[in-house]
Amino acid sequence: MAYQLHYWPGIQGRGEFVRLALEAAGAPYLDVARGDEEQGAGVPAMMRVLQGNDVTRPPFACPFLIDGKVIVGQTAAILLYLGPRLKLVPAGEADRLWAHQVQLTLADLVVEAHDTHHPVGSGLYYEEQKKEALRRAEDFRRNRLPKFLGWCETILERNTGNAEREVPRLVGGRLTYADLSLFQVVEGLLYAFPKATRRVLRKTPLVARLHAGVPRHKRLAAYLVSARRVPFNEQGIFRRYPELDG
Ligand SMILES: N[C@@H](CCC(=O)N[C@@H](CS)C(=O)NCC(=O)O)C(=O)O
């Protein structure tokens, strides 16, 4: 049976981390909220799970995944669940926990990238918090972005075998969902903060190599040029407001 992915249509957002894993594995899935309302899909189908009185364990927010009777919310938990099923994580517990830890750290980075344009409140418009956004983005560019990508560089350096690999890996020697997520984060950062991110990537060559190498994966390459890959835009997490790039 196909997995059901539920996420806002029209943006990549956090749903994209799950989508990349499903696409890389060639797994059958329905992108429910992008489906046809007349066929019982679309956003109303997603809202029925989030707000329905009959769901015992409703997720707090999307993205969430439905696999038969199992409903999993929280991006990192979804990937923890899917990783072994899609063969996108090694078999051992220590490696699985490490991949999960990397994913949670990338999730922290995603929150901080989002908060550069919404530092006061996500319910307010960007235009209502531009002054605070400028300050927050400056700190993000100067301190947080180099720290997060610097940590990714360190763990890539310390993963045995990466020196000989054309495309370095975060966990073990094969592609994992953590690699896909780091690729996606760097894509988003390059969209939102092209100048600042390029500066950091010059000092984090393994991160840059991973980012350049991941889309050579055949199924991913096909996905990235397909209509299923929604372009970045100014409704998503990574937004291009040139003033925030310094
Ligand atoms: N920690 C959660 C965050 C989920 C989240 O913030 N989802 C957003 C869309 S990307 C949402 O719809 N939030 C609604 C809300 O927070 O009220 C995850 O990583 O999945």
Side-chain angles (χ1 to χ4, degrees):
M1 212 161 65
Y3 293 107
Q4 284 185 26
L5 168 64
H6 292 249
Y7 193 68
W8 301 117
I11 60 169
Q12 292 182 14
R14 290 180 174 86
E16 197 66 10
F17 295 99
V18 182
R19 213 172 275 120
L20 286 180
L22 292 164
E23 291 280 351
Y29 76 100
L30 299 171
D31 215 327
V32 176
R34 288 187 187 168
D36 190 348
E37 285 188 29
E38 283 178 12
Q39 313 251 326
V43 173
M46 177 170 93
M47 298 319 284
R48 273 199 294 278
V49 181
L50 288 172
Q51 297 174 350
N53 293 328
D54 53 344
V55 183
T56 314
R57 295 176 173 176
F60 174 75
C62 64
F64 60 89
L65 183 91
I66 302 186
D67 179 22
K69 289 187 176 154
V70 179
I71 305 180
V72 199
Q74 291 286 353
T75 312
I78 299 169
L79 291 168
L80 184 71
Y81 176 81
L82 281 178
R85 289 168 174 80
L86 303 182
K87 303 205 177 348
L88 282 172
V89 77
E93 188 184 22
D95 281 342
R96 288 190 181 175
L97 200 55
W98 178 230
H100 185 47
Q101 195 183 139
V102 173
Q103 187 66 38
L104 286 167
T105 309
L106 294 175
D108 290 343
L109 169 52
V110 167
V111 171
E112 293 197 25
H114 168 271
D115 289 354
T116 58
H117 51 80
H118 277 75
V120 181
S122 42
L124 302 172
Y125 289 108
Y126 169 60
E127 287 68 28
E128 295 174 275
Q129 44 195 320
K130 277 180 100 164
K131 217 172 81 199
E132 293 87 352
L134 279 177
R135 287 191 68 196
R136 183 67 187 259
E138 184 181 3
D139 180 64
F140 179 76
R141 290 192 315 269
R142 286 202 176 162
N143 301 311
R144 303 301 289 170
L145 177 56
K147 182 168 180 180
F148 274 110
L149 292 192
W151 178 77
C152 292
E153 183 73 11
T154 300
I155 64 172
L156 283 167
E157 279 164 7
R158 293 182 190 171
N159 187 25
T160 317
N162 270 345
E164 297 82 50
R165 266 177 215 120
E166 202 182 328
V167 183
R169 302 295 185 207
L170 281 162
V171 185
R174 301 181 57 188
L175 181 76
T176 64
Y177 67 77
D179 297 319
L180 300 173
S181 295
L182 179 55
F183 160 76
Q184 174 64 11
V185 165
V186 173
E187 280 288 285
L189 290 168
L190 281 169
Y191 176 76
F193 308 98
K195 287 191 288 178
T197 306
R198 271 193 233 111
R199 249 191 325 269
V200 177
L201 286 177
R202 280 198 284 276
K203 295 185 183 148
T204 53
L206 288 171
V207 175
R209 255 171 55 203
L210 181 147
H211 171 255
V214 163
R216 280 188 234 143
H217 182 286
K218 254 196 180 161
R219 277 192 288 257
L220 269 184
Y223 166 66
L224 292 172
V225 297
S226 75
R228 299 190 300 285
R229 171 84 164 174
V230 171
F232 286 108
N233 59 46
E234 278 54 62
Q235 277 82 52
I237 293 169
F238 297 102
R239 303 187 186 188
R240 182 170 290 171
Y241 296 130
E243 63 275 19
L244 300 188
D245 196 18

